[in-house]
Amino acid sequence: MTLTEAVTAQTPLVQRLLDGVAALGADPPGITRVAYGPGESAAHALIAEAGRALSLTASTDAGANLTLRWASPSAQRAPVLIGSHLDSVVQGGNFDGAAGVIAGIAAIAALQAAGIQPKRDIEVLALRCEEAVWFGLGLIGSRCLLARLPEGALDLPHARGGLTLAASIVACGGDPARLREGTPLRDPRGIGAYLEVHIEQAPQLIEAVAPVAVCLANPGNVRHPFIRITGEDAHTGLPHRFRHDAALAGADLSLALERLWLAEEKAGRPMAVTIGRFHTDAARHSLTAVAGDFTMSLDLRGYDAEHLAALEGRLAAIVAEVAERRGVTITLGERSAAAPGPMDPAIIAGLGAAAARLGIAAPALNSPGSHDANNFAAAGVPTGMLLVRNQNGSHNPHEAMDTPDLMAAIAVLTDYLAHDAA
């Protein structure tokens, strides 16, 4: 059986697993697989079962991440890890994360069917809690694996039920005491490469009329989930010169950040600004009152650590200017951050060469989203990603990845692994 035939033969397996994780997370109109909850854990069990059918060795680490290892009888180099996540946002889509884990399973199945034996171990990782919605902190599984949890993270409460991250990890078979030691569960120097397949989160591949892209970099981010703007409550008839309007200060801050975004992109420095929360106090706001209190959130993204630091400096200057002009206090509050994830040049070239051998159009593009790959790249692990065409973005019920496009990505991944084994 040729390698191409072996990949094609995995289509029923891929579809069965996609349908399986969808059923486990069904939450009309979308999919909800709660991190460290029944849906995510059931998806881990489904993937583990698929691994056992391929004679892969399963293990669970202290962060409750699942590893499925295909051992090489003549391992000559450090292992290659293929990973992603199985949790979702609330009523999101089925493919964000899950497609990447399933791609790893399918690639190993295809290599086995084609009789290709790798010269290093290949491992599939199902990483826990990639989505920040559950603890206000994203990429938790890979943070656990690589000792990149920020101070106090294990005490964060879960968005559903309030169980701490530490208790959530225990409930899924992990060991937070080991995580508190602050040393990696896997030495990054002992990992040969980390590869991730992920649906695209902007319609760049729809625009390019291509099924798959080779990722150049993932953005890092700085996040402030609860920015508090404090002004003064007042009557709606109060003249402008007397007002300290928290709501208009929030609008000013948002529009100033958008102007920054447009200027940076015009200068060839890609970035992104997202305002997710944006509201007055629902318990007190009124048609006939000037708002003295306003809450908003900010996700600030950039592809280079120095650029991201510069953007954070610009944020501070904008906040100071708006606060002074509007006569309000702006408190940025809690901060979290994820490092940018530049992909390894050799892996970029290798994945591009694999696509070329297969005759698959695969432009090189930046990813709009941060992924577990960021943590591996930041830890010094050679990292690569493939992005799969997906018309309607992610984090919504309308994710529109087609299975043939995922199979194209699996073909590129498998061809890369086969040549890596040569």
Side-chain angles (χ1 to χ4, degrees), residues 386-416:
L386 292 169
L387 305 174
V388 184
R389 180 164 52 189
N390 171 50
Q391 184 164 0
N392 297 326
S394 68
H395 292 190
N396 69 76
H398 308 297
E399 290 175 4
M401 183 202 74
D402 292 328
T403 302
D405 289 344
L406 177 58
M407 296 308 301
I410 292 168
V412 173
L413 173 64
T414 306
D415 186 271
Y416 173 84

PDB file of all heavy atoms in Angstrom, residues 386-416:
ATOM      1  N   LEU A 386       0.309  22.959  11.042  1.00  0.00           N
ATOM      2  CA  LEU A 386      -0.479  23.011   9.817  1.00  0.00           C
ATOM      3  C   LEU A 386      -1.844  23.587  10.160  1.00  0.00           C
ATOM      4  O   LEU A 386      -2.449  23.203  11.172  1.00  0.00           O
ATOM      5  CB  LEU A 386      -0.636  21.621   9.209  1.00  0.00           C
ATOM      6  CG  LEU A 386       0.634  20.986   8.649  1.00  0.00           C
ATOM      7  CD1 LEU A 386       0.401  19.517   8.320  1.00  0.00           C
ATOM      8  CD2 LEU A 386       1.115  21.732   7.393  1.00  0.00           C
ATOM      9  N   LEU A 387      -2.339  24.491   9.334  1.00  0.00           N
ATOM     10  CA  LEU A 387      -3.658  25.089   9.512  1.00  0.00           C
ATOM     11  C   LEU A 387      -4.598  24.514   8.463  1.00  0.00           C
ATOM     12  O   LEU A 387      -4.235  24.382   7.290  1.00  0.00           O
ATOM     13  CB  LEU A 387      -3.577  26.612   9.371  1.00  0.00           C
ATOM     14  CG  LEU A 387      -2.560  27.311  10.285  1.00  0.00           C
ATOM     15  CD1 LEU A 387      -2.471  28.793   9.943  1.00  0.00           C
ATOM     16  CD2 LEU A 387      -2.926  27.114  11.747  1.00  0.00           C
ATOM     17  N   VAL A 388      -5.823  24.184   8.876  1.00  0.00           N
ATOM     18  CA  VAL A 388      -6.798  23.548   7.991  1.00  0.00           C
ATOM     19  C   VAL A 388      -7.890  24.557   7.652  1.00  0.00           C
ATOM     20  O   VAL A 388      -8.380  25.278   8.519  1.00  0.00           O
ATOM     21  CB  VAL A 388      -7.420  22.305   8.658  1.00  0.00           C
ATOM     22  CG1 VAL A 388      -8.356  21.586   7.685  1.00  0.00           C
ATOM     23  CG2 VAL A 388      -6.339  21.351   9.141  1.00  0.00           C
ATOM     24  N   ARG A 389      -8.262  24.595   6.395  1.00  0.00           N
ATOM     25  CA  ARG A 389      -9.300  25.518   5.922  1.00  0.00           C
ATOM     26  C   ARG A 389     -10.587  25.364   6.741  1.00  0.00           C
ATOM     27  O   ARG A 389     -11.039  24.262   7.013  1.00  0.00           O
ATOM     28  CB  ARG A 389      -9.576  25.264   4.438  1.00  0.00           C
ATOM     29  CG  ARG A 389     -10.632  26.156   3.835  1.00  0.00           C
ATOM     30  CD  ARG A 389     -10.582  26.120   2.312  1.00  0.00           C
ATOM     31  NE  ARG A 389     -10.605  24.763   1.767  1.00  0.00           N
ATOM     32  CZ  ARG A 389     -10.388  24.476   0.479  1.00  0.00           C
ATOM     33  NH1 ARG A 389     -10.121  25.452  -0.384  1.00  0.00           N
ATOM     34  NH2 ARG A 389     -10.428  23.226   0.055  1.00  0.00           N
ATOM     35  N   ASN A 390     -11.177  26.497   7.092  1.00  0.00           N
ATOM     36  CA  ASN A 390     -12.338  26.485   7.986  1.00  0.00           C
ATOM     37  C   ASN A 390     -13.063  27.822   7.810  1.00  0.00           C
ATOM     38  O   ASN A 390     -12.618  28.853   8.299  1.00  0.00           O
ATOM     39  CB  ASN A 390     -11.858  26.307   9.435  1.00  0.00           C
ATOM     40  CG  ASN A 390     -12.965  26.511  10.437  1.00  0.00           C
ATOM     41  OD1 ASN A 390     -14.041  25.931  10.322  1.00  0.00           O
ATOM     42  ND2 ASN A 390     -12.720  27.354  11.420  1.00  0.00           N
ATOM     43  N   GLN A 391     -14.183  27.779   7.122  1.00  0.00           N
ATOM     44  CA  GLN A 391     -14.800  29.007   6.616  1.00  0.00           C
ATOM     45  C   GLN A 391     -15.295  29.965   7.691  1.00  0.00           C
ATOM     46  O   GLN A 391     -15.164  31.180   7.546  1.00  0.00           O
ATOM     47  CB  GLN A 391     -15.958  28.659   5.678  1.00  0.00           C
ATOM     48  CG  GLN A 391     -16.596  29.889   5.040  1.00  0.00           C
ATOM     49  CD  GLN A 391     -17.450  29.541   3.848  1.00  0.00           C
ATOM     50  OE1 GLN A 391     -17.582  28.381   3.479  1.00  0.00           O
ATOM     51  NE2 GLN A 391     -18.026  30.538   3.218  1.00  0.00           N
ATOM     52  N   ASN A 392     -15.849  29.462   8.754  1.00  0.00           N
ATOM     53  CA  ASN A 392     -16.571  30.333   9.688  1.00  0.00           C
ATOM     54  C   ASN A 392     -15.835  30.583  10.996  1.00  0.00           C
ATOM     55  O   ASN A 392     -16.462  30.874  12.012  1.00  0.00           O
ATOM     56  CB  ASN A 392     -17.961  29.741   9.979  1.00  0.00           C
ATOM     57  CG  ASN A 392     -18.815  29.675   8.717  1.00  0.00           C
ATOM     58  OD1 ASN A 392     -18.721  30.528   7.850  1.00  0.00           O
ATOM     59  ND2 ASN A 392     -19.626  28.632   8.616  1.00  0.00           N
ATOM     60  N   GLY A 393     -14.518  30.479  10.985  1.00  0.00           N
ATOM     61  CA  GLY A 393     -13.770  30.737  12.204  1.00  0.00           C
ATOM     62  C   GLY A 393     -14.014  29.659  13.243  1.00  0.00           C
ATOM     63  O   GLY A 393     -14.491  28.563  12.947  1.00  0.00           O
ATOM     64  N   SER A 394     -13.686  29.966  14.495  1.00  0.00           N
ATOM     65  CA  SER A 394     -13.870  29.006  15.569  1.00  0.00           C
ATOM     66  C   SER A 394     -14.535  29.689  16.747  1.00  0.00           C
ATOM     67  O   SER A 394     -14.901  30.857  16.684  1.00  0.00           O
ATOM     68  CB  SER A 394     -12.527  28.385  15.979  1.00  0.00           C
ATOM     69  OG  SER A 394     -11.708  29.349  16.596  1.00  0.00           O
ATOM     70  N   HIS A 395     -14.704  28.937  17.826  1.00  0.00           N
ATOM     71  CA  HIS A 395     -15.383  29.433  19.025  1.00  0.00           C
ATOM     72  C   HIS A 395     -16.827  29.808  18.719  1.00  0.00           C
ATOM     73  O   HIS A 395     -17.403  30.702  19.342  1.00  0.00           O
ATOM     74  CB  HIS A 395     -14.637  30.629  19.646  1.00  0.00           C
ATOM     75  CG  HIS A 395     -13.316  30.256  20.238  1.00  0.00           C
ATOM     76  ND1 HIS A 395     -12.573  31.123  21.017  1.00  0.00           N
ATOM     77  CD2 HIS A 395     -12.602  29.107  20.186  1.00  0.00           C
ATOM     78  CE1 HIS A 395     -11.451  30.535  21.404  1.00  0.00           C
ATOM     79  NE2 HIS A 395     -11.454  29.309  20.908  1.00  0.00           N
ATOM     80  N   ASN A 396     -17.415  29.103  17.763  1.00  0.00           N
ATOM     81  CA  ASN A 396     -18.831  29.288  17.457  1.00  0.00           C
ATOM     82  C   ASN A 396     -19.378  27.974  16.914  1.00  0.00           C
ATOM     83  O   ASN A 396     -18.603  27.104  16.484  1.00  0.00           O
ATOM     84  CB  ASN A 396     -19.030  30.441  16.463  1.00  0.00           C
ATOM     85  CG  ASN A 396     -18.500  30.122  15.082  1.00  0.00           C
ATOM     86  OD1 ASN A 396     -19.114  29.377  14.335  1.00  0.00           O
ATOM     87  ND2 ASN A 396     -17.340  30.684  14.730  1.00  0.00           N
ATOM     88  N   PRO A 397     -20.693  27.785  16.923  1.00  0.00           N
ATOM     89  CA  PRO A 397     -21.254  26.494  16.497  1.00  0.00           C
ATOM     90  C   PRO A 397     -21.118  26.213  15.011  1.00  0.00           C
ATOM     91  O   PRO A 397     -21.424  25.116  14.570  1.00  0.00           O
ATOM     92  CB  PRO A 397     -22.745  26.629  16.865  1.00  0.00           C
ATOM     93  CG  PRO A 397     -22.838  27.756  17.816  1.00  0.00           C
ATOM     94  CD  PRO A 397     -21.719  28.692  17.455  1.00  0.00           C
ATOM     95  N   HIS A 398     -20.648  27.198  14.239  1.00  0.00           N
ATOM     96  CA  HIS A 398     -20.692  27.091  12.781  1.00  0.00           C
ATOM     97  C   HIS A 398     -19.337  26.800  12.154  1.00  0.00           C
ATOM     98  O   HIS A 398     -19.146  27.067  10.966  1.00  0.00           O
ATOM     99  CB  HIS A 398     -21.291  28.376  12.198  1.00  0.00           C
ATOM    100  CG  HIS A 398     -22.589  28.762  12.813  1.00  0.00           C
ATOM    101  ND1 HIS A 398     -23.726  27.974  12.713  1.00  0.00           N
ATOM    102  CD2 HIS A 398     -22.934  29.828  13.582  1.00  0.00           C
ATOM    103  CE1 HIS A 398     -24.715  28.554  13.383  1.00  0.00           C
ATOM    104  NE2 HIS A 398     -24.264  29.672  13.913  1.00  0.00           N
ATOM    105  N   GLU A 399     -18.399  26.275  12.948  1.00  0.00           N
ATOM    106  CA  GLU A 399     -17.129  25.867  12.365  1.00  0.00           C
ATOM    107  C   GLU A 399     -17.389  24.986  11.148  1.00  0.00           C
ATOM    108  O   GLU A 399     -18.232  24.077  11.205  1.00  0.00           O
ATOM    109  CB  GLU A 399     -16.292  25.102  13.394  1.00  0.00           C
ATOM    110  CG  GLU A 399     -15.758  25.980  14.519  1.00  0.00           C
ATOM    111  CD  GLU A 399     -15.024  25.200  15.593  1.00  0.00           C
ATOM    112  OE1 GLU A 399     -14.855  23.971  15.446  1.00  0.00           O
ATOM    113  OE2 GLU A 399     -14.641  25.829  16.597  1.00  0.00           O
ATOM    114  N   ALA A 400     -16.667  25.247  10.062  1.00  0.00           N
ATOM    115  CA  ALA A 400     -17.033  24.612   8.793  1.00  0.00           C
ATOM    116  C   ALA A 400     -15.842  23.908   8.148  1.00  0.00           C
ATOM    117  O   ALA A 400     -15.634  24.018   6.940  1.00  0.00           O
ATOM    118  CB  ALA A 400     -17.617  25.655   7.847  1.00  0.00           C
ATOM    119  N   MET A 401     -15.065  23.206   8.931  1.00  0.00           N
ATOM    120  CA  MET A 401     -13.993  22.399   8.367  1.00  0.00           C
ATOM    121  C   MET A 401     -14.585  21.197   7.647  1.00  0.00           C
ATOM    122  O   MET A 401     -15.420  20.488   8.195  1.00  0.00           O
ATOM    123  CB  MET A 401     -13.051  21.917   9.476  1.00  0.00           C
ATOM    124  CG  MET A 401     -11.868  21.116   8.953  1.00  0.00           C
ATOM    125  SD  MET A 401     -11.139  20.036  10.219  1.00  0.00           S
ATOM    126  CE  MET A 401     -12.387  18.728  10.309  1.00  0.00           C
ATOM    127  N   ASP A 402     -14.128  20.946   6.431  1.00  0.00           N
ATOM    128  CA  ASP A 402     -14.551  19.756   5.686  1.00  0.00           C
ATOM    129  C   ASP A 402     -13.536  18.641   5.918  1.00  0.00           C
ATOM    130  O   ASP A 402     -12.315  18.876   5.902  1.00  0.00           O
ATOM    131  CB  ASP A 402     -14.649  20.058   4.193  1.00  0.00           C
ATOM    132  CG  ASP A 402     -15.792  21.011   3.870  1.00  0.00           C
ATOM    133  OD1 ASP A 402     -16.818  20.961   4.582  1.00  0.00           O
ATOM    134  OD2 ASP A 402     -15.649  21.804   2.916  1.00  0.00           O
ATOM    135  N   THR A 403     -14.034  17.420   6.095  1.00  0.00           N
ATOM    136  CA  THR A 403     -13.137  16.292   6.344  1.00  0.00           C
ATOM    137  C   THR A 403     -12.075  16.126   5.254  1.00  0.00           C
ATOM    138  O   THR A 403     -10.912  15.835   5.572  1.00  0.00           O
ATOM    139  CB  THR A 403     -13.946  14.994   6.535  1.00  0.00           C
ATOM    140  OG1 THR A 403     -14.864  15.173   7.627  1.00  0.00           O
ATOM    141  CG2 THR A 403     -13.037  13.819   6.842  1.00  0.00           C
ATOM    142  N   PRO A 404     -12.399  16.303   3.954  1.00  0.00           N
ATOM    143  CA  PRO A 404     -11.330  16.193   2.943  1.00  0.00           C
ATOM    144  C   PRO A 404     -10.185  17.181   3.158  1.00  0.00           C
ATOM    145  O   PRO A 404      -9.026  16.855   2.862  1.00  0.00           O
ATOM    146  CB  PRO A 404     -12.071  16.468   1.625  1.00  0.00           C
ATOM    147  CG  PRO A 404     -13.472  16.015   1.891  1.00  0.00           C
ATOM    148  CD  PRO A 404     -13.732  16.411   3.313  1.00  0.00           C
ATOM    149  N   ASP A 405     -10.474  18.368   3.684  1.00  0.00           N
ATOM    150  CA  ASP A 405      -9.401  19.317   3.967  1.00  0.00           C
ATOM    151  C   ASP A 405      -8.540  18.826   5.127  1.00  0.00           C
ATOM    152  O   ASP A 405      -7.307  18.970   5.111  1.00  0.00           O
ATOM    153  CB  ASP A 405      -9.978  20.697   4.276  1.00  0.00           C
ATOM    154  CG  ASP A 405     -10.554  21.385   3.047  1.00  0.00           C
ATOM    155  OD1 ASP A 405     -10.243  20.958   1.918  1.00  0.00           O
ATOM    156  OD2 ASP A 405     -11.337  22.345   3.207  1.00  0.00           O
ATOM    157  N   LEU A 406      -9.179  18.254   6.149  1.00  0.00           N
ATOM    158  CA  LEU A 406      -8.402  17.670   7.242  1.00  0.00           C
ATOM    159  C   LEU A 406      -7.552  16.518   6.724  1.00  0.00           C
ATOM    160  O   LEU A 406      -6.394  16.369   7.121  1.00  0.00           O
ATOM    161  CB  LEU A 406      -9.326  17.191   8.358  1.00  0.00           C
ATOM    162  CG  LEU A 406      -8.639  16.498   9.544  1.00  0.00           C
ATOM    163  CD1 LEU A 406      -7.607  17.409  10.212  1.00  0.00           C
ATOM    164  CD2 LEU A 406      -9.672  16.025  10.576  1.00  0.00           C
ATOM    165  N   MET A 407      -8.098  15.715   5.815  1.00  0.00           N
ATOM    166  CA  MET A 407      -7.329  14.599   5.256  1.00  0.00           C
ATOM    167  C   MET A 407      -6.122  15.116   4.470  1.00  0.00           C
ATOM    168  O   MET A 407      -5.065  14.474   4.457  1.00  0.00           O
ATOM    169  CB  MET A 407      -8.206  13.721   4.364  1.00  0.00           C
ATOM    170  CG  MET A 407      -9.343  13.008   5.104  1.00  0.00           C
ATOM    171  SD  MET A 407      -8.832  12.075   6.583  1.00  0.00           S
ATOM    172  CE  MET A 407      -7.651  10.919   5.886  1.00  0.00           C
ATOM    173  N   ALA A 408      -6.257  16.278   3.825  1.00  0.00           N
ATOM    174  CA  ALA A 408      -5.111  16.871   3.124  1.00  0.00           C
ATOM    175  C   ALA A 408      -4.016  17.238   4.121  1.00  0.00           C
ATOM    176  O   ALA A 408      -2.823  17.004   3.874  1.00  0.00           O
ATOM    177  CB  ALA A 408      -5.554  18.099   2.327  1.00  0.00           C
ATOM    178  N   ALA A 409      -4.425  17.813   5.258  1.00  0.00           N
ATOM    179  CA  ALA A 409      -3.447  18.149   6.298  1.00  0.00           C
ATOM    180  C   ALA A 409      -2.797  16.885   6.857  1.00  0.00           C
ATOM    181  O   ALA A 409      -1.575  16.860   7.109  1.00  0.00           O
ATOM    182  CB  ALA A 409      -4.122  18.938   7.412  1.00  0.00           C
ATOM    183  N   ILE A 410      -3.588  15.843   7.063  1.00  0.00           N
ATOM    184  CA  ILE A 410      -3.047  14.572   7.565  1.00  0.00           C
ATOM    185  C   ILE A 410      -2.064  13.981   6.550  1.00  0.00           C
ATOM    186  O   ILE A 410      -1.020  13.420   6.928  1.00  0.00           O
ATOM    187  CB  ILE A 410      -4.192  13.589   7.880  1.00  0.00           C
ATOM    188  CG1 ILE A 410      -4.996  14.098   9.083  1.00  0.00           C
ATOM    189  CG2 ILE A 410      -3.658  12.187   8.150  1.00  0.00           C
ATOM    190  CD1 ILE A 410      -6.303  13.369   9.312  1.00  0.00           C
ATOM    191  N   ALA A 411      -2.364  14.128   5.267  1.00  0.00           N
ATOM    192  CA  ALA A 411      -1.449  13.636   4.233  1.00  0.00           C
ATOM    193  C   ALA A 411      -0.111  14.363   4.310  1.00  0.00           C
ATOM    194  O   ALA A 411       0.963  13.736   4.221  1.00  0.00           O
ATOM    195  CB  ALA A 411      -2.079  13.813   2.852  1.00  0.00           C
ATOM    196  N   VAL A 412      -0.145  15.678   4.476  1.00  0.00           N
ATOM    197  CA  VAL A 412       1.102  16.447   4.583  1.00  0.00           C
ATOM    198  C   VAL A 412       1.868  16.037   5.839  1.00  0.00           C
ATOM    199  O   VAL A 412       3.088  15.808   5.798  1.00  0.00           O
ATOM    200  CB  VAL A 412       0.802  17.961   4.594  1.00  0.00           C
ATOM    201  CG1 VAL A 412       2.082  18.763   4.869  1.00  0.00           C
ATOM    202  CG2 VAL A 412       0.179  18.397   3.273  1.00  0.00           C
ATOM    203  N   LEU A 413       1.157  15.935   6.963  1.00  0.00           N
ATOM    204  CA  LEU A 413       1.791  15.533   8.218  1.00  0.00           C
ATOM    205  C   LEU A 413       2.432  14.148   8.084  1.00  0.00           C
ATOM    206  O   LEU A 413       3.582  13.930   8.500  1.00  0.00           O
ATOM    207  CB  LEU A 413       0.748  15.529   9.337  1.00  0.00           C
ATOM    208  CG  LEU A 413       1.179  14.976  10.697  1.00  0.00           C
ATOM    209  CD1 LEU A 413       2.279  15.833  11.307  1.00  0.00           C
ATOM    210  CD2 LEU A 413      -0.028  14.896  11.643  1.00  0.00           C
ATOM    211  N   THR A 414       1.705  13.209   7.497  1.00  0.00           N
ATOM    212  CA  THR A 414       2.185  11.833   7.386  1.00  0.00           C
ATOM    213  C   THR A 414       3.390  11.752   6.458  1.00  0.00           C
ATOM    214  O   THR A 414       4.373  11.045   6.745  1.00  0.00           O
ATOM    215  CB  THR A 414       1.055  10.917   6.892  1.00  0.00           C
ATOM    216  OG1 THR A 414      -0.096  11.068   7.740  1.00  0.00           O
ATOM    217  CG2 THR A 414       1.479   9.462   6.910  1.00  0.00           C
ATOM    218  N   ASP A 415       3.340  12.463   5.350  1.00  0.00           N
ATOM    219  CA  ASP A 415       4.476  12.484   4.426  1.00  0.00           C
ATOM    220  C   ASP A 415       5.712  13.077   5.103  1.00  0.00           C
ATOM    221  O   ASP A 415       6.825  12.574   4.954  1.00  0.00           O
ATOM    222  CB  ASP A 415       4.117  13.296   3.185  1.00  0.00           C
ATOM    223  CG  ASP A 415       5.200  13.232   2.111  1.00  0.00           C
ATOM    224  OD1 ASP A 415       6.119  14.088   2.157  1.00  0.00           O
ATOM    225  OD2 ASP A 415       5.139  12.338   1.265  1.00  0.00           O
ATOM    226  N   TYR A 416       5.517  14.135   5.881  1.00  0.00           N
ATOM    227  CA  TYR A 416       6.628  14.739   6.620  1.00  0.00           C
ATOM    228  C   TYR A 416       7.229  13.713   7.584  1.00  0.00           C
ATOM    229  O   TYR A 416       8.459  13.562   7.668  1.00  0.00           O
ATOM    230  CB  TYR A 416       6.144  15.968   7.379  1.00  0.00           C
ATOM    231  CG  TYR A 416       7.184  16.559   8.297  1.00  0.00           C
ATOM    232  CD1 TYR A 416       8.142  17.453   7.815  1.00  0.00           C
ATOM    233  CD2 TYR A 416       7.232  16.218   9.648  1.00  0.00           C
ATOM    234  CE1 TYR A 416       9.117  17.980   8.655  1.00  0.00           C
ATOM    235  CE2 TYR A 416       8.202  16.744  10.487  1.00  0.00           C
ATOM    236  CZ  TYR A 416       9.132  17.633   9.999  1.00  0.00           C
ATOM    237  OH  TYR A 416      10.100  18.140  10.827  1.00  0.00           O
TER     238      TYR A 416
END
